Amino acid sequence: MAVLEVKNLEKAFGGTAILKDVSFTMEEGDALAIIGSSGSGKTTLLRCLNFLETPDGGNISVKGETLFDASLPARDRERDLRTKRLHFGMVFQSFNLFPQYTALENVTLAEKLLAEKKPDFKQNKREILEGIEEHGRELLRQMGLEERMGHYPHQLSGGQQQRVAIARALALKPDILCFDEPTSALDPELTGEVLRVIRGLAEQKTTMIIVTHEMAFARDVADRIIFMDGGVIVEQGEARQVIDNPQMERTRQFLSRYTQG
């Protein structure tokens, strides 16, 4: 069974179609890279998957469970949005860390808020919070930030902040981890450290969708690639096949900008 199935997804803003009949599937443990020019619909697709935007049409299913069906009444489509979002972890371009919280507090905040709603929280509060804190520390150690857990965002480099953001997204154990151009806000020398973390997650078979302009990284790390243009999927397939031997003329035109430089 596919971990993610997207069928005929549509989204428009102000009468302008941004996503047009977008369909694809993902298997558990796959890394999927989405490439394309700015304005091609890549970020809107991620935001629809995370329910930060509501699609106008189509269907989204995770592990066989339908999370969105445009044919249902609006009240049914909008029910339990927070629960639906838990299937996806989102890492944004600009980190989006809370400046008033330390790295560890940023990572553990959402898990603590969810734990407070559980019926056994009051009688097991200390044990539950200690477990969450240790989980947060382990994630930050995994990100190479063991010495930065008590630091605030302004005390961290951009690369360190993005690695905290990745740990935060992983904290709730999402089915699918989504990255929206995770290195675009970083200086070139800091890009490598974030890409190394994502490469490590791919080696651990973390299910990921990565919107990126790093073509060599997409080719070497992703299992599959989707190329989008004008809100549609122009080409999709095995990563090296799409990058090294694209079948569609529009894909070749897009990739020629990277191979010529």
Side-chain angles (χ1 to χ4, degrees):
M1 180 187 296
V3 67
L4 174 65
E5 189 168 6
V6 177
K7 293 181 181 178
N8 311 118
L9 211 63
E10 306 270 350
K11 181 63 181 177
F13 293 108
T16 301
I18 306 299
L19 298 178
K20 309 169 190 174
D21 198 26
V22 170
S23 299
F24 66 95
T25 61
M26 279 186 72
E27 299 299 320
E28 191 158 6
D30 275 358
L32 171 68
I34 303 179
I35 63 173
S37 302
S38 297
S40 60
K42 308 183 304 295
T43 294
T44 299
L45 175 57
L46 280 193
R47 290 180 65 83
C48 285
L49 292 178
N50 283 270
F51 299 99
L52 298 172
E53 301 286 353
T54 302
D56 298 320
N59 184 287
I60 300 170
S61 299
V62 173
K63 293 185 173 179
E65 176 190 353
T66 299
L67 302 186
F68 177 83
D69 185 343
S71 67
L72 296 175
R75 64 180 181 277
D76 294 328
R77 284 185 274 135
E78 295 167 6
R79 186 177 296 143
D80 301 325
L81 280 182
R82 284 188 179 180
T83 302
K84 292 174 181 177
R85 287 185 184 127
L86 294 177
H87 291 281
F88 299 90
M90 185 73 164
V91 180
F92 299 90
Q93 296 180 36
S94 54
F95 324 138
N96 286 13
L97 299 178
F98 293 110
Q100 71 272 33
Y101 295 134
T102 65
L104 182 59
E105 288 168 340
N106 266 282
V107 172
T108 58
L109 178 62
E111 197 172 357
K112 287 178 179 178
L113 291 173
L114 284 175
E116 290 175 2
K117 298 177 182 178
K118 295 180 178 179
D120 64 338
F121 179 74
K122 286 187 178 179
Q123 61 262 41
N124 299 306
K125 180 177 179 179
R126 181 174 178 179
E127 180 182 348
I128 290 172
L129 291 180
E130 286 178 352
I132 292 172
E133 290 270 324
E134 181 50 39
H135 183 220
R137 284 192 287 268
E138 177 55 37
L139 287 170
L140 286 170
R141 282 193 287 268
Q142 186 181 342
M143 297 297 120
L145 294 170
E146 188 167 6
E147 305 301 321
R148 299 289 188 270
M149 296 188 190
H151 286 54
Y152 291 89
H154 75 273
Q155 298 172 308
L156 303 172
S157 70
Q160 290 168 342
Q161 289 185 62
Q162 191 62 295
R163 283 184 280 157
V164 172
I166 294 170
R168 178 179 61 182
L170 287 167
L172 296 180
K173 302 181 179 69
D175 293 309
I176 302 159
L177 187 59
C178 300
F179 295 87
D180 185 12
E181 298 185 18
T183 60
S184 66
L186 300 177
D187 294 332
E189 63 266 27
L190 299 178
T191 294
E193 63 189 57
V194 173
L195 294 181
R196 279 192 295 273
V197 167
I198 300 174
R199 186 186 298 270
L201 292 172
E203 290 170 355
Q204 296 167 25
K205 305 306 288 182
T206 303
T207 308
M208 297 185 289
I209 301 175
I210 310 159
V211 169
T212 183
H213 287 297
E214 303 281 347
M215 295 302 125
F217 177 78
R219 180 192 61 205
D220 295 339
V221 173
D223 298 292
R224 295 178 61 249
I225 283 178
I226 284 174
F227 168 61
M228 294 186 68
D229 184 58
V232 303
I233 293 178
V234 174
E235 186 167 348
Q236 59 179 310
E238 188 271 327
R240 287 185 176 272
Q241 169 69 34
V242 173
I243 295 292
D244 295 336
N245 188 26
Q247 301 302 299
M248 305 300 291
E249 178 59 30
R250 181 67 189 93
T251 315
R252 288 194 285 269
Q253 291 172 359
F254 171 77
L255 291 170
S256 68
R257 285 186 271 161
Y258 293 90
T259 57
Q260 287 170 3

